[in-house]
Amino acid sequence: MNKILIPAYCIMALATAHQASAQDGRSVRLAGLRKYAQVVTGDYTVPAGASTSGSVMVLRGNLDIYGNVDGAATAVLGDVVVHDGGRVRGGAVALGGRVVNEGGSIMGVVKEVGPTHNRSTVSFGGRPRTTLGSLISAFIWLLVLLLVGTIVALYMRDYFKRTVEVVTNESGKSLLAGLLGGLISIPAIVAIVVAFAITIIGVFFIPIGVAAFLIAISGIAMLGFLAVAQVAGIAIAGKRAAETPAGQELQFLYTGIIAFSALWIIAAVFTWFPLLGTILRMFAFSVTLVAVATGFGAVILTLWRTRARKNSVATA
């Protein structure tokens, strides 16, 4: 049976091969597989620190990668295993086996074909998501939000309170304004690029202008999210006694931030269970997106009304 499957699988593998330029001593030269630098029968290992000069194919064995494969990595009737520190600069294909990423990097198509499975995805070189890594990321974001929230609550208190009031009293209008503001920001970036590109000197300032605009948008989104977190904290914690109004506001803000972060922490805990972890991440992302959009719109409305109030006072 294998004698029938191997030629068929080899033909399929040619579609994922990269142009080869060398051949190793253990290689087997096959006329139909010239696109591979190495074609090896049996288990084969690319050791740590080593780098192939092209694509590698293993027939009837596993391909273990600890080093660098400068091309496609293919196993026929075996597995492709990319270990921690390993890198595949092309596709990873297992025909009659599996592609297993144990902490390495794959920059191309990941394809598995077998009697009971046929899977094809695209990898952009990122490491596989791990439970520990996801938890660390979630807690780092929690600490960042707590720090930024503290700074905003202490040094932007008046403006922050006005934004919180808008979120509380006009959440629907804030969400709509946030969605419209997000859509308008795309052509706004284009307008900035065009405005700078009118003159030769302005071309050099395009990156600065775009970066400044993105920083401003990110700041507005962060401020808005914190306002929504404050409102959520009030709803969750309720009215509690505090020594100072500022202390009570910080309690509400911290409660809301922890509540939103808890969604991501729970999703991170179930990273080891891909299906459930993905569902939980999608839920956390959806809730966070709505919160950011609502807060973004609340900040825009607050800015607009503050400016209109100042103009009316100046006119009077």
Side-chain angles (χ1 to χ4, degrees):
M1 185 67 174
N2 287 349
K3 292 182 179 180
I4 298 176
L5 290 175
I6 289 178
Y9 281 150
C10 287
I11 293 174
M12 296 172 63
L14 293 177
T16 64
H18 288 238
Q19 187 64 39
S21 60
Q23 192 114 5
D24 185 79
R26 290 185 56 191
S27 302
V28 179
R29 290 185 176 273
L30 298 176
L33 303 175
R34 287 192 299 270
K35 291 187 176 182
Y36 285 88
Q38 300 180 40
V39 180
V40 181
T41 301
D43 294 338
Y44 183 72
T45 299
V46 179
S51 180
T52 69
S53 56
S55 301
V56 179
M57 174 183 282
V58 170
L59 305 176
R60 287 185 297 183
N62 296 330
L63 175 56
D64 289 278
I65 302 170
Y66 294 89
N68 179 66
V69 175
D70 191 14
T74 303
V76 178
L77 297 180
D79 298 334
V80 175
V81 184
V82 186
H83 298 272
D84 187 20
R87 177 182 290 270
V88 178
R89 296 185 180 275
V93 183
L95 305 175
R98 296 282 187 180
V99 175
V100 182
N101 192 341
E102 296 184 347
S105 176
I106 302 173
M107 303 180 67
V109 175
V110 177
K111 187 170 183 63
E112 299 175 347
V113 178
T116 60
H117 61 277
N118 188 335
R119 182 177 71 95
S120 182
T121 58
V122 177
S123 174
F124 297 98
R127 292 177 179 270
R129 189 185 299 274
T130 63
T131 301
L132 179 60
S134 299
L135 282 171
I136 291 174
S137 298
F139 279 106
I140 288 176
W141 271 109
L142 172 59
L143 293 175
V144 170
L145 289 172
L146 290 174
L147 177 61
V148 176
T150 303
I151 295 173
V152 169
L154 294 179
Y155 296 100
M156 301 178 62
R157 187 180 176 189
D158 292 339
Y159 188 81
F160 185 61
K161 287 181 65 176
R162 290 199 296 270
T163 305
V164 170
E165 290 175 359
V166 173
V167 173
T168 303
N169 301 322
E170 302 176 78
S171 57
K173 186 179 294 185
S174 297
L175 177 58
L176 179 60
L179 294 175
L180 292 176
L183 293 175
I184 293 173
S185 63
I186 298 175
I189 294 178
V190 177
I192 291 174
V193 173
V194 173
F196 278 108
I198 293 176
T199 62
I200 297 177
I201 297 177
V203 172
F204 297 98
F205 292 94
I206 289 178
I208 299 175
V210 172
F213 179 80
L214 292 177
I215 291 173
I217 292 295
S218 299
I220 293 173
M222 176 64 78
L223 179 62
F225 173 77
L226 292 173
V228 174
Q230 174 101 338
V231 174
I234 294 173
I236 295 171
K239 296 295 182 180
R240 294 182 179 179
E243 294 183 359
T244 63
Q248 188 176 58
E249 291 171 4
L250 282 176
Q251 289 179 7
F252 293 147
L253 180 58
Y254 291 164
T255 301
I257 290 174
I258 292 173
F260 279 104
S261 297
L263 299 176
W264 290 98
I265 292 172
I266 293 172
V269 169
F270 288 94
T271 300
W272 61 273
F273 193 163
L275 178 60
L276 181 58
T278 301
I279 294 174
L280 291 173
R281 280 195 300 274
M282 290 177 62
F283 177 73
F285 176 78
S286 300
V287 173
T288 305
L289 180 63
V290 172
V292 171
T294 302
F296 189 83
V299 174
I300 292 176
L301 292 175
T302 304
L303 285 171
W304 181 267
R305 291 169 183 174
T306 301
R307 183 178 179 181
R309 190 181 299 112
K310 288 182 178 179
N311 290 337
S312 63
V313 171
T315 303

